[in-house]
Amino acid sequence: MSELQCWPTPLSGVMRVERGTHVDARGSFARLFCADALRQAGWTGPVAQINHSVSCARGTVRGLHYQLAPSAEKKLVSCVRGRIWDVAVDLRRSSPTFLQWHAQELSPHTGIALLLPEGCAHGFQALSDDAQIVYCHSAPYAPQAQGGVHPCETRLAIDWPLPVQRLSDRDASWPALGTDFTGVEP
């Protein structure tokens, strides 16, 4: 009825998760998380944390965030209202897609989510007012392990669909990835 199907993206280890949605006269039903279906895509262990993010204004960018080992985390990102441009950046030094990014438009109407492995930074841009996402984390937030990359990092050249706006002070202050950046260990 509401199966999850996982498909690889061009970014190593990042999966596109498609939800089946059941629609009837009452409305609709879709499964957002299923450990059995996601295990084959790399999700192991429990969900340690679930966050809900609301971006009030179109163009708002949040991210790019990641956590360092031993607090590295997988993330399953779903848009539950509005539309977002969801971005994963591969920061894993041993990955064949190191410093490459993949983006996917997410909305409740597409039934698509992104599953990011440890060692990938995550960010998104609101493509509509009142964009809301729910994301599951495989590890709890650890402030001492947080890392980030400025969303306009020139080495990444992310093609944001709208001008980058409304960055938090923290996100605006992430240092540039110097030429000496060799990646992270997930």
Side-chain angles (χ1 to χ4, degrees):
M1 175 192 336
S2 296
E3 298 295 322
L4 298 180
Q5 294 185 330
C6 302
W7 306 97
T9 69
L11 209 58
S12 178
V14 174
M15 303 295 285
R16 176 179 150 156
V17 179
E18 296 179 7
R19 295 186 299 270
T21 302
H22 176 73
V23 179
D24 63 21
R26 301 169 295 171
S28 63
F29 173 86
R31 183 169 292 146
L32 295 180
F33 184 91
C34 177
D36 287 342
L38 294 172
R39 190 171 296 111
Q40 68 183 343
W43 189 284
T44 55
V47 172
Q49 189 170 301
I50 300 174
N51 294 330
H52 177 226
S53 174
V54 177
S55 295
C56 298
R58 181 177 185 259
T60 299
V61 171
R62 294 178 183 256
L64 302 159
H65 305 141
Y66 62 94
Q67 289 201 154
L68 297 166
S71 299
E73 62 187 351
K74 293 178 183 70
K75 291 182 183 180
L76 177 66
V77 183
S78 299
C79 182
V80 296
R81 184 178 185 124
R83 296 172 33 239
I84 66 166
W85 182 250
D86 203 50
V87 178
V89 178
D90 191 345
L91 298 178
R92 300 165 294 172
R93 74 173 49 112
S94 58
S95 173
T97 55
F98 176 61
L99 291 185
Q100 294 178 30
W101 59 273
H102 173 75
Q104 177 79 52
E105 183 175 326
L106 305 181
S107 77
H109 307 293
T110 64
I112 296 171
L114 276 186
L115 176 62
L116 287 70
E118 296 101 335
C120 283
H122 172 255
F124 66 93
Q125 183 172 53
L127 298 178
S128 64
D129 293 337
D130 193 25
Q132 299 185 30
I133 69 169
V134 170
Y135 44 119
C136 301
H137 300 257
S138 64
Y141 174 66
Q144 72 283 3
Q146 75 176 343
V149 177
H150 194 286
C152 296
E153 167 62 48
T154 56
R155 284 185 71 189
L156 301 176
I158 295 171
D159 187 16
W160 297 101
L162 302 171
V164 172
Q165 300 178 35
R166 295 175 194 83
L167 289 176
S168 70
D169 290 342
R170 178 182 71 159
D171 291 348
S173 67
W174 292 118
L177 291 178
T179 54
D180 58 340
F181 179 75
T182 60
V184 300
E185 286 296 328

